[in-house]
Amino acid sequence: MYKRQVHGAVTGCFATRIPWIQEHLGLGTGQLGLALAFPAIGAAVAMPMAGRIVHRWGARAALRTLLVLWCLALALPALAPHLVVLCLALAVFGATAGMSDVVMNAQGVEVEERYGRSIMSGLHGLWSVGALVGSAVGVAVVHAGVDARLHLPAAALVLAVLARFAVRGVLDVRAAPGEAAPPRFTLPPRSALLIGAVGMCAVFGEGAGMDWSGVYLREVTSSSETVAAAGYTGFACTMAIARLLGDAVVRRMGAVRTVRVSGLLAAAGGALVVVAPVPAVGVAGFALLGVGIAVVVPLTFAAAGRSGAQPARAIAGVATITYTTGLVAPAVIGLLGEMTSLRVSFALVTGAALILFLGAGVLAPGRNPTGTGAVITATGAEGAGVPPAPPLGAGPGTGSVDGGGHAAHGLGEQRG
């Protein structure tokens, strides 16, 4: 489970230094939005390789390598001397983030299926805990006046060391003997599209909150740099708590009702952000937005796994839609903010949150197929305590599952 916290900590560290990067390079809102589109570009190019990497190396070795590279990439944005280099650095940042996230996420679906009950929200909650810790450290470093060119490279080295140890016990999922490598590209199945659309609305709010909360508080509400950095921390804190408690809520209320309530809470938070006259109201709005969107994405992955005869393809399709949206969202917020204002940008986030309420019905439980074939050797952090089971769907050539919510084989089918 610690791999998720390390991955989240990288995101948390980076988010607190976005205002510094903007000021250091003298970027306007539109230029920053353009730069923040490059993680999506890097991820879109690199993610199709994740399935083949897992097929060749196995999930454990693939995750070890990719997670370390993701941690080291944290140093790059702070060292960029101008916008062009920043864009290239963020493309590398997004590529390593996307591949490691894909390899990590399908394992969560595998583990949930073995448990036979909802655990995806809690697993994503561990990521949010890591993001919270990373952002909290970032706030302290910002308050101490430490230059980002020292902070981010130092954090990158520490997290890279932790990453090597964090993956030691993960499920080692390998391709079945004789299984062909994933194809380079197929379109997502139709079963994934509506589910992915719901996830897209949640991830749009998550991406906006992660990358723009600090800038929003500083530019719109005239907060101090420390309070601006704390805006993301509040967002990450409430998201982490909601995800850790989310599985119990889902078991009590069901997925559909949970997402409907979540949509209303997220919309209320977005509305507070839009009308915030002072930093405290903005911080409260971002915190409420974090509560509202917290459990939606884990529930979309679980719903995708039940949605058809090829759960790996469906999970990967939802992952494609949601992950890409999360990386594109900051660019959309920035470009719209440049053309109008950041308040208008977050009005769009509020509207997306209302769609969660309207579209929650697509997450209603359906049939739960047996899954995809994989060869698994488990001693693992996330696998620890999981009841032993034979390989799922033990037929030949049915795919491989890697590590935390997306499927490596399916991703190769979906993304290229």
Side-chain angles (χ1 to χ4, degrees):
M1 63 182 170
Y2 297 111
K3 65 185 184 294
R4 289 178 170 275
Q5 293 164 320
V6 171
H7 195 285
V10 176
T11 301
C13 286
F14 173 68
T16 61
R17 302 317 302 240
I18 291 175
W20 181 93
I21 292 170
Q22 181 186 26
E23 183 175 353
H24 176 67
L25 297 182
L27 303 179
T29 302
Q31 290 175 310
L32 181 60
L34 174 65
L36 292 174
F38 274 81
I41 295 171
V45 172
M47 280 160 122
M49 294 186 284
R52 293 199 170 211
I53 291 172
V54 172
H55 183 87
R56 179 183 288 261
W57 295 355
R60 189 178 298 160
L63 182 57
R64 180 186 302 115
T65 301
L66 294 172
L67 189 58
V68 168
L69 290 175
W70 157 238
C71 293
L72 294 176
L74 174 63
L76 301 179
L79 303 178
H82 51 71
L83 177 61
V84 173
V85 176
L86 176 64
C87 291
L88 294 175
L90 290 176
V92 174
F93 189 68
T96 53
M99 288 193 292
S100 58
D101 189 52
V102 164
V103 176
M104 186 174 63
N105 262 314
Q107 190 177 10
V109 173
E110 173 72 19
V111 172
E112 181 174 81
E113 187 163 350
R114 290 169 166 244
Y115 270 118
R117 59 187 176 87
S118 175
I119 63 168
M120 282 297 292
S121 179
L123 294 180
H124 282 249
L126 295 176
W127 184 94
S128 294
V129 168
L132 173 62
V133 172
S135 65
V137 172
V139 169
V141 170
V142 169
H143 184 67
V146 177
D147 194 293
R149 289 168 292 190
L150 297 176
H151 169 212
L152 294 188
L157 291 174
V158 171
L159 290 170
V161 172
L162 293 176
R164 283 197 55 86
F165 292 98
V167 301
R168 283 185 171 182
V170 302
L171 296 175
D172 194 21
V173 183
R174 296 180 179 272
E179 180 186 341
R184 290 192 176 274
F185 180 80
T186 61
L187 294 173
R190 278 184 286 183
S191 62
L193 296 180
L194 289 177
I195 295 171
V198 172
M200 178 178 69
C201 293
V203 173
F204 188 83
E206 184 174 352
M210 284 195 299
D211 285 356
W212 283 101
S213 56
V215 174
Y216 187 96
L217 291 171
R218 194 184 64 188
E219 293 192 356
V220 177
T221 68
S222 302
S223 74
S224 67
E225 189 174 358
T226 301
V227 172
Y232 174 77
T233 302
F235 176 81
C237 181
T238 56
M239 180 177 288
I241 293 170
R243 281 179 170 169
L244 292 172
L245 298 175
D247 290 312
V249 174
V250 172
R251 288 194 288 269
R252 183 178 183 87
M253 296 177 56
V256 174
R257 288 180 61 196
T258 299
V259 172
R260 283 178 177 156
V261 172
S262 295
L264 293 177
L265 291 174
L272 272 181
V273 170
V274 170
V275 302
V278 294
V281 176
V283 171
F286 282 113
L288 189 55
L289 179 65
V291 171
I293 64 179
V295 301
V296 178
V297 172
L299 290 177
T300 61
F301 287 129
R306 300 187 303 261
S307 66
Q310 294 181 297
R313 284 193 64 203
I315 291 166
V318 169
T320 302
I321 296 167
T322 57
Y323 196 86
T324 304
T325 300
L327 294 174
V328 169
V332 174
I333 295 296
L335 294 174
L336 183 59
E338 181 76 12
M339 293 186 292
T340 56
S341 70
L342 285 176
R343 289 191 190 272
V344 173
S345 294
F346 276 87
L348 181 62
V349 173
T350 304
L354 288 173
I355 295 175
L356 296 178
F357 174 81
L358 299 174
V362 303
L363 304 185
R367 66 190 184 93
N368 190 5
T370 57
T372 56
V375 176
I376 301 175
T377 57
T379 55
E382 258 179 23
V386 178
L392 297 173
T398 49
S400 62
V401 184
D402 43 4
H406 318 202
H409 179 79
L411 181 86
E413 292 176 356
Q414 301 304 321
R415 303 192 181 180

